[in-house]
Structure formats: C-alpha cells, structure tokens
C-alpha cells in the first residue's frame, strides 16, 4: 500500500517546491538569485525520477491495488510491456511528462553557462511549468490513486499498444515536446532582461536542435509503428492526433530557420520570439487533443473533457503571458531590413514562409471541423485530399528552394554563374526524368516533377561540395533526407494499390504479377493471447519467391481480436497482407497491398535524424578541446 502514498507525497513535494520557488523568484528576492532556484531544479529531477521508479516497480510487482496499474497491466503481460505501460496510459504519460520536464530543467541548470540573472530567469520559468504540471498531475491525473475495490488481476494493456513502438515512440515524442519548454524559457528570460538582444538565440540553439531531433525521431517511429501495427497500410493518414505532433514539428523547424536568419542577417527577431512561445504551446495543444476526447481517434488517450480544461488553462498561462510580455518589450525588438539582406538570407525567409503556410494548412484542416461542429448542426470532415492538394505543390516549391541554397551561400570562392546554374538545371531534368522512367510503367506528373526537383537538390549540393572542397554535413544530410522522404511520399501516394479478396484454404489468387496460395493455418499461444497464423505462398512465373504469415490474435483478458499484418520488404516497396474477418473455418477476407517506396521513408527519416546528431558530435569534440558546448551547435 505504500506505493500510492509515497508516489503522491513525492508529487505533492515537487508541486510545493516548484510553486514556492516560482513565487519567490517572481518577486526577485535577493536569495533567489542563483542560490535557491537552481538546487530546486535538480531536486525536482531527483524526486520525479523516484516517482517514476515507484510506478515502474508497482507495474513489475503487479500491485493492482493501484487503479492505474490494474487498468493497464496483467500478470501475463511480458515485463518489457509492463515497463512501457508506465507511460502507456494517460496518468502515467503525464507523470512521464513531469519527469521529462524536470530532466530538461536540471540539464539547463547543469549545462547553461550564461550570466547568473539570465540563468536564474530561465530556470524560474521552467520551475513555474513544473509547478503547473505537478498540480495538474496530482488533481487530474494522479497515477498513484488506489482502486475502489480489490482486484486480483489487471485488465491488461491495450493490445494495440503491445509493440516495440510503445517503448520508443512516447518517450522520444515527449522529449521533443517538452524540450521546447527550454526554448520558451530562454525567450521569456530574454524579455525579462534590462536589454533585449539576440544573445538568447545563441544560448538556446542547442536546446532548439535537441528538441527538434527528439521530436523528429518520435514522429518517425510513430509513423513506422502505425504502418506496421494498425493495419492501415500507409504511413500518414492526416489523423488529428498525428497532426497534433506535426504542428509543433513544423513550428520547431520554422523556429530553427528563423533563428538562423536572426543570427546571420539580424532579421526576423520578432518571428523568432513568437515561434519560441508558440512551439511549446502547440506541444501542449497536441497533448490536449490526445487527452480531451474532443476529437475521436484511434490514438486518443482519454475522453474526459475536464482534463482538457486543465491543459487549456496551462496553455493559456504561457501563451498569453509570453505574448503579453513580448508586446510589452516590442519597442526594443528591432530587426534589420529584409531589403538590405543577402540572397542567402532572403532564401531563409522564403523557407520560413513555406513552413508558415504548411503550419496554417495543418492547423485549419485539424481544427476547422471541430469549430464548425460547435456553430452548426451539421458536421464536416477534412481528409487527405485537402492536405495533399496543398502539401504536394508546397513540398515541390520547398525542394526548389533547397536546391538554390548552396548556390547562394556566402563565402563561396567560386560562386555559380547563370550558365553553370542552367547546366545544373538541365542535368537535373534529364537525371530525374530517367530515374523515374526506368522504374515505372506509367508516367505521372507529380512523381516525375518530384524526381526532377530531388535531382536538382542533389546536383546543386554535389556542385557545392566539389567546388568548395568541404560541406556542412548537417545541412547535407537533412536536405538529402527531405528529398528521400518527399520522393517516398509522392511515389507511395501515386503508385500504391490494393485488393480485397475472400480466400480459402488451398485456394490461389492473383495480385499484380504474383500468385498467392493459402497453404495452411496454425494455432499459436503467446504470453497473453492466442493466435491463428496463416501461411501464404508467393510465387512468380512458377518459381517460389517467399512466404508471408499474417496473424489473427485474440487477447483473452481484454476480449479483443487484433490483426497482425505480414510484410515483405523490397527497395521499391512493400507487399503488405492483413487478415480481415474470419468468414468460416479456413476462410478469411484478406487485404493485399503494394506500398510503393515505403522503405525510402524510413531511410530519409533516419538521414534527417542523423543530421541532428552531427552538430552534437562536433560540439562534444570542441568541448573536450576547451571550447564551449552550447554555442558550438
């Protein structure tokens, strides 16, 4: 019984410590200047770590007297899923959110080398955030509450969550979401100084990149998880909860570009402040979408509107407070004129405009149906056609801008000429067109334009590397990753196809150039489920190629039946089989899909994530030589 009591006491201590620290520092008492506020951040980290450890121990020990454990675990659940279940439900995920927020605050306290007053204000803002989420966790999402009745067996973890994706996806996503709290704290602290200057951008660069890196990795693993587990056969369905993570990613990418323009051209200073505030607020908004129940989705955690009210209140505190403080210091934020900027800086401004358009597009498509349902008796739905109609040309424009980046980069000893640019454009058209033509039977407009645009980016970046003799590996990997992801997306949308069939034991069906035979079915017993595994033989021109083994799993405790798809991967696409309803003994409805270029999505995503790791490796080496870590990002 001590688990629930100890965990609640720890949460209450964190809430009280953060609240007292925030109040004292708000009134700028002398002893708060670096003497009290910093140990509080580290103490919060230690306490929240203990709370998370207590909850994990309760799961591993099958302590079903705690309601959250009883609702999300079972004695037959494998131990690694029991650990993942710590953040697999709403209450546990909010405790993990609090732990992550405390971790970022402690890391800022430990790593930031800045004037004491600025450092104090940064950690004060983060302690205020910790106080808000600690009280929210205690009163609205306490994972240590006791069950109202004794149970000897838990309800089990949702079968859809029993996957490696649950172990990796939420922690990385939260690290990205909450990492932007540091950037918000830097921006607010900068506005609280006697003189508002751009030095905060240099201090916050490390935290912007690291948050973006974690969020990108989390979204990538989430897309992979949805693709292989939910049986949809696609990588992005513009689901509202998927869009909830895309919004802060777009805003965070925009923030990185705005910070670049601010550092290089002393422009977009106001834009940088605005998106430092809104990016973290969009992260809270994404959490609100998942947990409020206002939007129905397979990804949603909860359906309690009162939870949404708490989150909206926290969102309002930081959004309104940050924007009011920004408005109060607006006269001290002066940017250099865009008319006087170099073409390279103006290209960064164009990139920001493209990202703003993408951000507005996703926000409107996600929230307009919700607002419309409140003002009208009718309902509307916004699906993939709306998003694709805007994102397809917008992404193509973005690729063209990426291609111009190395041509306009300053400090190039051999700049490009109109002739060399024209030659590279011709080479790109020929290369992209040929690469597309040799792979497909039917030529389509958007894919061939994307192949040409991708070749344009590759050719100009290769030209820069050849002329200069060196290259920015971060930009190179990120831009190539974006090219690969863009080509994967358009090829997947334009050249994928599927069929729905009824198949019986011993029967064969045709799919494209393949003959598929239902050979046999076997029964399996897992740790907490039973399954029927179907063996499908795939042959071509009379020669055996491979076998696929889709499953239909039944989870006894949850009384749920789930399909486990089978996938055969090739460089040009995946063959994806999903069992539907069982019609009779030895008879199933079946969905067979060819998902073109899907593996390119994972390769491109890994390139983008790797691009975020490069500056960290470089900075660690620089720090070991006596340099400064944060400013070298």
């Amino acid at each position: 019984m001590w688990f629930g009591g100890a965990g609640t006491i720890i949460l209450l201590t964190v809430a009280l410590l953060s609240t007292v620290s925030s109040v004292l520092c708000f009134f700028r008492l002398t002893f708060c200047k670096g003497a009290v506020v910093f140990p509080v951040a580290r103490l919060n980290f230690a306490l929240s770590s203990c709370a998370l450890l207590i909850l994990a121990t309760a799961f591993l020990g099958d302590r079903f007297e705690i309601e959250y454990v009883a609702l999300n675990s079972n004695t037959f659940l494998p131990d690694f899923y029991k650990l993942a279940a710590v953040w697999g439900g709403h209450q546990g995920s909010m405790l993990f959110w609090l732990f992550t927020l405390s971790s970022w605050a402690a890391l800022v306290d430990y790593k930031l080398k800045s004037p004491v007053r600025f450092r104090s204000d940064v950690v004060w803002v983060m302690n205020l955030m910790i106080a808000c989420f600690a009280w929210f966790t205690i009163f609205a999402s306490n994972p240590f509450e006791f069950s109202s009745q004794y149970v000897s067996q838990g309800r089990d973890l949702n079968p859809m969550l029993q996957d490696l994706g649950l172990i990796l996806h939420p922690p990385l996503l939260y690290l990205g979401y909450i990492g932007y709290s540091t950037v918000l704290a830097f921006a607010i602290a900068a506005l609280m100084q006697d003189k508002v200057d751009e030095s905060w951008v240099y201090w916050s660069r490390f935290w912007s990149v690291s948050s973006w890196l974690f969020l990108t990795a989390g979204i990538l693993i989430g897309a992979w998880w949805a693709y292989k587990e939910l049986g949809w056969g696609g990588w992005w369905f513009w689901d509202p909860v998927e869009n909830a993570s895309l919004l802060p990613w777009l805003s965070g990418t925009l923030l990185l570009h705005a910070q670049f323009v601010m550092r290089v051209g002393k422009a977009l200073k106001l834009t940088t402040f605005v998106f430092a505030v809104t990016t973290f607020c969009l992260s809270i908004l994404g959490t609100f979408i998942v947990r409020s129940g206002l939007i129905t989705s397979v990804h949603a955690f909860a359906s309690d509107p009162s939870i949404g009210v708490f989150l909206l209140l926290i969102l309002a505190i930081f959004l309104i407070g940050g924007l009011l403080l920004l408005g109060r210091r607006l006269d001290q934020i002066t940017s250099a004129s865009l008319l006087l900027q170099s073409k390279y800086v103006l290209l960064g401004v164009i990139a920001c405009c493209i990202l703003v358009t993408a951000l507005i597009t996703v926000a409107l498509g996600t929230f307009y149906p919700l607002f419309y349902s409140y003002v009208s008796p009718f309902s509307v739905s916004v699906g993939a056609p709306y998003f694709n109609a805007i994102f397809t040309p917008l992404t193509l424009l973005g690729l063209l801008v990426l291609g111009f980046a190395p041509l306009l980069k300053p400090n190039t000893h051999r700049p490009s000429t109109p002739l060399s640019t024209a030659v590279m454009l011709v080479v790109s058209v020929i290369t992209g067109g040929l690469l597309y033509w040799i792979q497909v039977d039917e030529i389509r407009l958007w894919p061939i334009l994307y192949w040409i645009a991708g070749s344009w980016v590759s050719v100009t970046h290769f030209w820069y590397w050849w002329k200069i003799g060196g290259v920015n590996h971060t930009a190179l990997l990120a831009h190539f990753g974006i090219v690969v992801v863009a080509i994967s997306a358009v090829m997947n949308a334009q050249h994928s196809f599927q069929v729905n069939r009824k198949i019986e034991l011993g029967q064969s069906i045709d799919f494209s150039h393949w003959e598929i035979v239902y050979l046999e079915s076997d029964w399996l017993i897992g740790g907490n489920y039973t399954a029927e595994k179907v063996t499908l033989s795939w042959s071509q021109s009379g020669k055996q190629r491979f076998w696929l083994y889709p499953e239909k799993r039944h989870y006894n405790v949850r009384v749920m039946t789930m399909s486990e798809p089978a996938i055969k991967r090739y460089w040009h696409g995946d063959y994806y089989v999903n069992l539907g309803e069982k019609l009779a003994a030895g008879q199933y409805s079946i969905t067979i899909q060819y998902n073109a270029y899907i593996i390119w999505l994972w390769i491109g995503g890994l390139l983008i994530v790797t691009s975020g790791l490069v500056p960290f490796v470089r900075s660690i080496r620089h720090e070991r030589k006596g340099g400064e870590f944060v400013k070298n990002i």
Side-chain angles (χ1 to χ4, degrees):
M1 296 290 287
W2 69 271
F3 285 93
T8 303
I9 291 172
I10 289 174
L11 290 179
L12 184 61
T13 304
V14 170
L16 289 172
L17 277 173
S18 301
T19 302
V20 172
S21 171
S22 301
V23 170
L24 291 178
C25 290
F26 177 76
F27 290 106
R28 295 195 177 280
L29 298 182
T30 304
F31 59 87
C32 264
K33 291 297 181 181
V36 172
V37 66
F38 299 141
V40 167
R42 303 186 189 191
L43 185 57
N44 282 338
F45 167 69
L47 290 172
S48 59
S49 299
C50 289
L52 197 67
L53 182 61
I54 289 173
L55 187 60
T57 304
F59 269 96
L60 292 175
D62 296 325
R63 304 305 296 260
F64 299 130
E65 67 267 24
I66 297 177
E67 185 175 10
Y68 178 69
V69 177
L71 292 176
N72 294 279
S73 187
N74 186 273
T75 55
F76 298 104
L77 188 67
D79 285 346
F80 50 88
Y81 287 145
K82 288 181 179 179
L83 289 175
V86 171
W87 53 77
H90 166 67
Q91 290 88 343
S93 68
M94 294 314 299
L95 176 62
F96 191 84
W97 180 289
L98 181 63
F99 161 76
T100 309
L101 185 56
S102 302
S103 303
W104 280 112
L107 187 60
V108 169
D109 171 24
Y110 171 74
K111 207 68 185 175
L112 182 59
K113 302 296 187 294
S114 67
V116 173
R117 177 179 173 182
F118 181 79
R119 182 182 174 208
S120 174
D121 289 337
V122 169
V123 182
W124 167 73
V125 175
M126 298 205 68
N127 278 339
L128 178 60
M129 297 178 191
I130 293 172
C132 291
F133 281 99
W135 289 114
F136 168 71
T137 304
I138 291 173
F139 290 111
S141 305
N142 189 352
F144 297 105
E145 289 183 351
F146 293 110
S147 300
S148 58
Q149 57 185 358
Y150 173 79
V151 293
S152 59
Q153 187 59 275
R155 190 186 175 195
D156 201 7
L157 183 65
N158 189 329
M160 286 192 298
L161 301 179
Q162 295 183 30
D163 187 85
L164 176 64
L166 179 65
I167 301 174
L168 301 175
H169 169 62
L172 289 172
L173 203 65
Y174 294 156
L175 283 168
Y177 276 167
I178 305 165
Y180 282 112
S181 66
T182 61
V183 186
L184 170 61
F186 276 93
I188 292 179
L191 294 171
M192 294 170 62
Q193 306 309 300
D194 295 331
K195 179 183 178 182
V196 180
D197 56 33
E198 64 269 13
S199 61
W200 76 274
V201 173
Y202 295 92
W203 298 119
S204 67
R205 179 68 176 167
F206 163 74
W207 314 95
S208 300
V209 174
S210 57
S211 303
W212 179 86
L213 172 64
F214 284 121
L215 185 56
T216 304
I219 291 175
L220 177 66
I221 292 177
W224 167 78
W225 182 14
Y227 171 71
K228 79 178 192 69
E229 184 65 24
L230 293 180
W232 290 348
W235 59 277
W236 200 271
F237 272 71
W238 299 108
D239 180 85
V241 175
E242 289 181 331
N243 294 346
S245 61
L246 184 60
L247 284 169
W249 186 86
L250 289 170
S251 182
T253 306
L254 172 58
L255 176 62
L256 287 177
H257 287 79
Q259 286 179 326
F260 161 77
V261 172
M262 183 174 172
R263 287 186 295 115
V264 175
K266 308 300 181 184
L268 297 187
K269 291 184 180 181
L270 180 60
T271 302
T272 307
F273 273 110
V274 168
F275 281 96
V277 174
T278 57
T279 301
F280 179 63
C281 292
L282 286 172
S283 299
I284 301 177
L285 185 62
T287 309
F288 163 77
I289 292 174
V290 177
R291 289 161 175 82
S292 65
L294 295 178
I295 295 179
T296 303
S297 169
V298 70
H299 303 283
F301 267 118
S303 57
D304 184 0
S306 64
I307 294 174
V309 172
F310 276 100
L311 289 172
L312 284 180
L313 180 61
I314 296 174
L315 171 64
I317 290 173
F318 290 102
L319 179 61
I320 297 175
L323 293 180
L324 285 177
L325 183 59
L326 179 60
R328 184 166 173 260
R329 306 300 299 275
L330 199 59
D331 58 327
Q332 296 188 29
I333 303 174
T334 56
S335 299
S337 173
L338 291 177
L339 298 176
L340 303 178
Q341 300 296 330
S342 67
K343 295 179 181 178
Y344 189 59
V345 172
L346 290 177
L347 201 67
V349 175
I350 294 174
C352 290
C353 294
I354 294 173
L355 288 167
V356 167
T357 305
L359 183 65
I360 294 174
T361 299
V362 177
L364 285 176
T366 303
F367 295 109
Y368 177 75
L370 178 62
F371 294 145
Y372 188 83
S373 65
Y374 277 100
V375 300
S376 171
F378 305 101
S379 62
V380 296
S381 61
V382 176
Y386 159 78
F387 294 104
N388 292 339
I390 298 177
F391 266 81
T392 301
L394 195 64
T395 305
L396 184 64
L397 177 61
L399 292 177
L400 295 177
V401 171
L402 283 183
F404 277 106
L407 303 182
L408 301 177
K409 191 168 184 178
N411 302 323
T412 302
H413 302 298
R414 297 180 182 178
S416 63
T417 63
L419 178 60
S420 63
T421 302
V423 170
M424 284 186 277
L425 184 59
V426 172
V427 171
S428 301
V429 172
I430 296 174
T431 303
L434 285 176
L435 287 174
Y436 178 64
W437 178 73
I438 63 177
Q439 297 178 72
V440 299
D441 297 327
E442 180 184 358
I443 304 296
R444 298 184 181 180
L445 176 61
W446 285 115
I448 195 171
L449 290 178
Y450 268 67
W451 277 97
I452 291 172
S455 299
W456 163 248
V457 175
S458 303
V459 168
T460 57
H461 282 68
F462 174 78
W463 171 88
Y464 181 81
W465 170 80
W466 180 58
K467 283 288 187 180
I468 306 304
V471 69
N472 184 332
H473 293 89
T474 301
L476 180 69
L477 289 173
H479 292 174
F480 278 154
I482 290 171
V483 167
V484 175
V485 168
I487 290 177
S488 170
V490 74
M491 293 294 286
N492 182 262
Q494 297 286 329
H495 292 284
S496 298
F497 54 91
Q498 73 174 48
V499 297
N500 297 298
R501 293 283 189 271
K502 180 180 72 173
I503 191 168
E504 299 180 8
L505 187 63
Q507 178 187 357
S508 66
I509 59 176
D510 294 328
F511 178 75
S512 187
H513 303 295
W514 297 91
E515 182 185 15
I516 306 171
V517 182
Y518 181 0
L519 293 181
E520 61 180 0
S521 61
D522 298 304
W523 286 96
L524 304 174
I525 299 178
N528 59 341
Y529 66 88
T530 58
E532 185 175 9
K533 181 177 73 172
V534 170
T535 301
L536 300 176
S537 168
W538 289 61
S539 59
Q540 199 174 64
S541 303
K543 295 183 179 180
Q544 182 64 51
R545 301 298 182 182
F546 57 88
W547 291 265
L548 288 179
Y549 307 95
E551 297 178 12
K552 201 74 172 179
R553 295 181 177 179
H554 179 72
Y555 292 82
N556 302 318
V557 178
R558 279 273 183 167
V559 195
M560 289 180 63
T561 300
M562 298 285 298
S563 293
E564 188 71 16
I567 305 173
K568 176 64 177 179
R569 294 179 172 85
Y570 286 101
W571 69 267
H572 54 76
D574 289 358
Y575 292 99
Y576 189 106
V577 180
N578 195 37
L579 292 179
E581 182 182 356
K582 187 173 185 177
L583 305 175
Q587 186 180 89
Y588 272 102
S589 64
I590 190 172
T591 301
I592 308 172
Q593 301 170 324
Y594 172 70
N595 297 313
Y597 284 75
I598 196 69
I599 197 171
W600 287 45
L601 176 74
W602 320 128
I603 294 173
L606 288 174
L607 286 174
I608 295 173
V609 171
T610 304
S611 72
L613 293 174
V614 170
F616 290 98
V617 175
R618 186 184 302 120
S619 293
I620 290 172
R621 291 178 179 175
H622 183 74
E623 186 183 32
R624 287 176 179 175
K625 296 178 180 179
E628 191 170 336
F629 181 81
V630 175
K631 281 193 175 182
N632 194 49
I633 295 294

